[in-house]
Amino acid sequence: MSTSVIEPGTRLAGRYRLEEKVSEADGSTLWKAIDEILARAVAVRTFEPGFPRAAEVVTAARTASRLTDPRLTQVFDADNDGELAYVISEWVSGETLEEMIVSGGPLAPGRAARFVSEAAEALTTAHKAGMSHLCLTARHLVWTTGGTVKLTGLGVEAVLCGVNSTEPARLDALGLGQMLYAALTGHWPGGADESSLPPAPEQNGDHVPPRELREEVPAAVDEIVRRAMEIGAPEEPLTTPAEVAAALAKVPRTPLPLFAGLQSGPPPAVINRPQRAEPPAKTVPQPRPPAARPAAAPQPTAQLSQPPPPSTVSSPSTTAVSQAGQSINRPLVAAAAAVAALVIGIAAWQFTGGKKEANDDPGQGAQPTAPAPAPSATRLQITHAKGIFDLTGNGNPDSKVKPTAHFVKDKKPGTYFETDRYREPYATSFGNFLNGAGFVLDLGSSKQVSKVVLHSPPASAGAAFKVYVGDSDNRSLAPEFGSPTTLGTGTTEVSGTATGRYVIVWFTSSPPSGRVQVGEASVHGTE
């Protein structure tokens, strides 16, 4: 059966009647359907003919079907043996975390902690079974109409999006931290395409912690977010769902509402948002791409509730003693101060011989005012990233460069910009198919650039590259920045001085492994 004739009323496997198209993207379609044998609603995902990852999706769905945690969406059936591949799973009805925030504002801190802790515990079960999510957003956590928590998209979502990771547990811990951040603040600290919530504010290249946006967030919950998202390079980051679940188990949590649609929390209008002009902060290395440690937040523009002043109520005896002491000591203190000032003045006059120094007169020999220090370099925001490559005369396009370029700016250590893997004898020359490959980083407007930092796995060590900075995204029109170099093991920095809107990272050779991978790119300089 071809998907071109699939429409409401179509039956799959002789029992699943499609009723309503829910969404459609990138070659797959999600339907609401009815299982006519069991008389229940189900979710059905179908794929266009020739969909390249249909077999992988079905395999992931079958693996997920073996998990029994009730907080994970149940998979009932999956098949790709016939002309049409499909996955049948539980129909989840309720409100996503994103919908809850949009309709009612951020959750109460205790409720947010309870909600995300359920997801963390469910993911802990999944990881023990060898499965991970890798694509967690506020859209994947649901409070159902039946009063239960559901985490959707396990296994399947990562395959559909083409996401893989060498550190799946760490990537899922980061996702849990991002969901908790959104639940507490109403802002999404991830990619703009992952949520309709307003983006989380940043300062010096790192996200502003929840407690600086919303003062009623308890310090313990704020600390969990910092550790899971590795904000400010914590000494003990949370790198697995199990660690996130254990940390959340130690903080007070309030019950979730009886059913979807009931939740409380201040509306977004009263969230305290810091001003954007912060002083430069100290850069601190961290396991994830280095980011400047957030400076102390300035006074927010919104009205803050201030702590009460020290109490002025005291016992009668204490007040009387205090007042008596003040009335006796004030004359003595004043007299002592006057005598001390006189003695110091006489000593100074004797020391200088009564002569006035030239520097005493600001009009004669005054020292010049020291110049103001130059602004410190900070991590600049990257608004967009795109992949580029140059074919040889008989070359073939690289299937990975363009689809994965955006991963260099998503602040997720386990997702990579990458090229196809090229084999010997031409592993280090892109298989003789490409003259080079790389990505372009758009800073949004012309900026002063002083450093470009790339983070890559050990297998990419040895890949040679150049950096260009200019106001054109064509490398032939942009000046070269710094000196050509090769990827090292972990972090590679290129320093220089240039001004431009675009930063172009251009690989002229692939590493001995045959594949270039970059987990994160950061650009440092001044606005």
Side-chain angles (χ1 to χ4, degrees):
M1 179 186 299
S2 171
T3 54
S4 60
V5 298
I6 290 184
E7 57 187 14
T10 301
R11 284 180 174 78
L12 301 177
R15 63 185 290 182
Y16 304 112
R17 186 180 74 249
L18 304 183
E19 289 203 327
E20 178 185 352
K21 183 184 293 186
V22 178
S23 63
E24 186 174 15
D26 300 326
S28 72
T29 304
L30 181 65
W31 300 82
K32 181 178 182 181
I34 294 295
D35 180 347
E36 295 184 322
I37 293 180
L38 297 179
R40 63 180 177 182
V42 293
V44 176
R45 186 173 292 278
T46 59
F47 307 92
E48 293 180 358
F51 183 76
R53 296 186 294 276
E56 294 178 64
V57 174
V58 169
T59 299
R62 287 173 175 169
T63 303
S65 70
R66 296 195 287 268
L67 299 176
T68 57
D69 192 307
R71 293 165 293 193
L72 299 172
T73 307
Q74 242 184 312
V75 176
F76 300 135
D77 195 4
D79 183 74
N80 67 328
D81 293 334
E83 183 180 353
L84 179 67
Y86 59 84
V87 174
I88 314 296
S89 58
E90 177 184 5
W91 178 260
V92 179
S93 179
E95 276 190 308
T96 66
L97 174 58
E98 180 177 282
E99 290 169 339
M100 294 172 74
I101 296 169
V102 169
S103 64
L107 278 64
R111 183 162 291 168
R114 171 67 183 276
F115 203 6
V116 176
S117 72
E118 296 279 355
E121 292 169 5
L123 272 178
T124 299
T125 301
H127 275 260
K128 288 179 180 179
M131 291 204 71
S132 50
H133 196 291
L134 307 184
C135 296
L136 290 171
T137 72
R139 298 170 179 171
H140 293 106
L141 189 56
V142 181
W143 181 242
T144 72
T145 53
T148 61
V149 172
K150 285 288 182 182
L151 187 64
T152 65
L154 181 71
V156 172
E157 195 77 18
V159 178
L160 288 172
C161 298
V163 177
N164 55 64
S165 174
T166 58
E167 296 182 278
R170 193 169 196 165
L171 190 55
D172 277 350
L174 168 65
L176 290 166
Q178 289 176 316
M179 289 197 297
L180 184 54
Y181 188 109
L184 294 168
T185 69
H187 293 264
W188 177 246
D193 59 338
E194 296 175 342
S195 176
S196 63
L197 297 174
E202 296 185 1
Q203 54 188 19
N204 297 323
D206 215 344
H207 290 107
V208 176
R211 192 171 168 84
E212 294 183 21
L213 296 178
R214 188 179 172 200
E215 61 181 358
E216 59 263 45
V217 174
V221 179
D222 182 78
E223 182 67 18
I224 291 171
V225 175
R226 289 173 183 254
R227 293 172 64 194
M229 292 179 57
E230 299 188 35
I231 296 174
E235 293 184 1
E236 297 181 0
L238 301 174
T239 58
T240 68
E243 290 177 358
V244 176
L248 286 171
K250 298 176 182 178
V251 303
R253 295 175 290 176
T254 55
L256 292 165
L258 295 178
F259 54 84
L262 289 180
Q263 69 96 30
S264 62
V270 300
I271 298 175
N272 297 319
R273 295 176 175 83
Q275 300 173 356
R276 295 299 296 158
E278 292 89 5
K282 181 179 177 182
T283 300
V284 181
Q286 58 187 42
R288 289 212 177 116
R293 184 186 296 276
Q299 288 296 327
T301 55
Q303 184 70 28
L304 289 178
S305 58
Q306 300 295 334
S311 175
T312 58
V313 178
S314 57
S315 66
S317 59
T318 302
T319 303
V321 171
S322 175
Q323 291 175 346
Q326 290 174 2
S327 63
I328 293 172
N329 292 334
R330 281 174 184 165
L332 294 177
V333 171
V339 172
L342 179 61
V343 171
I344 292 172
I346 294 172
W349 178 263
Q350 290 176 343
F351 180 79
T352 61
K355 296 180 181 179
K356 187 174 185 178
E357 297 293 335
N359 286 346
D360 291 343
D361 186 352
Q364 299 181 12
Q367 295 295 325
T369 302
S376 300
T378 59
R379 183 169 175 172
L380 302 174
Q381 183 178 6
I382 300 171
T383 61
H384 181 69
K386 69 175 182 178
I388 54 175
F389 56 77
D390 182 21
L391 297 176
T392 61
N394 61 344
N396 292 324
D398 190 297
S399 65
K400 296 289 186 66
V401 168
K402 293 184 178 180
T404 62
H406 67 283
F407 289 136
V408 298
K409 60 176 289 290
D410 65 356
K411 297 184 180 179
K412 296 181 179 180
T415 58
Y416 298 98
F417 158 82
E418 62 184 10
T419 65
D420 285 329
R421 185 185 297 279
Y422 297 96
R423 306 294 183 182
E424 294 292 353
Y426 307 111
T428 58
S429 59
F430 297 107
N432 280 351
F433 294 134
L434 306 179
N435 292 318
F439 48 85
V440 179
L441 306 176
D442 185 352
L443 304 180
S445 62
S446 190
K447 309 288 174 64
Q448 293 182 7
V449 177
S450 59
K451 182 172 64 174
V452 177
V453 182
L454 304 181
H455 304 268
S456 56
S460 292
F465 70 96
K466 299 179 179 180
V467 177
Y468 302 84
V469 176
D471 287 321
S472 172
D473 61 358
N474 186 334
R475 75 178 188 283
S476 63
L477 301 177
E480 191 168 332
F481 177 84
S483 302
T485 186
T486 58
L487 287 179
T489 301
T491 301
T492 306
E493 296 185 3
V494 179
S495 298
T497 302
T499 301
R501 173 176 175 172
Y502 299 98
V503 176
I504 304 169
V505 178
W506 181 250
F507 291 94
T508 57
S509 73
S510 41
S513 66
R515 177 193 293 174
V516 176
Q517 287 184 311
V518 176
E520 194 74 16
S522 59
V523 180
H524 302 256
T526 55
E527 297 288 343

